[in-house]
Amino acid sequence: MRITNIELAGTIEEGKHLPRTFARISRKLSDDYISVVIITTAGAAASNRAHEVKADDSDDQWSMAKCLQEAMDGFEGTWTDIRTYMNAIEMLAD
């Protein structure tokens, strides 16, 4: 078995019904890159940001995990916060 796609929902702001940010992490079979799309739903600032992460580069993966954590949680997190997102990215790196 191989995981090829993970979808994440960020934190929900007080008084809101939906997360302000979603993310899709995916990797096609035999591709050297992991695709990370960060989807922001905040009104007029709604956007999709696509990133490519080298599947065999742990430094690149960590950098993406930091970016993903901040986008999803809305604050600069601790090592433990970032590690949660790194775990998701690593699932597709194998």
Side-chain angles (χ1 to χ4, degrees), residues 28-78:
K28 295 179 183 172
L29 296 175
S30 76
D31 198 345
D32 292 336
Y33 289 88
I34 299 166
S35 172
V36 179
V37 178
I38 299 172
I39 304 156
T40 305
T41 60
S47 67
N48 290 358
R49 292 180 290 157
H51 305 268
E52 295 292 321
V53 180
K54 288 192 61 84
D56 64 351
D57 186 339
S58 60
D59 289 336
D60 197 21
Q61 294 169 19
W62 184 259
S63 178
M64 185 69 246
K66 285 173 61 175
C67 178
L68 190 55
Q69 180 278 319
E70 191 167 343
M72 299 294 285
D73 296 339
F75 61 89
E76 188 174 330
T78 64

Side-chain angles (χ1 to χ4, degrees), residues 2 6-7 24 26 48 53 62:
R2 180 170 171 199
I6 299 171
E7 293 188 6
R24 183 176 306 114
S26 61
N48 290 358
V53 180
W62 184 259

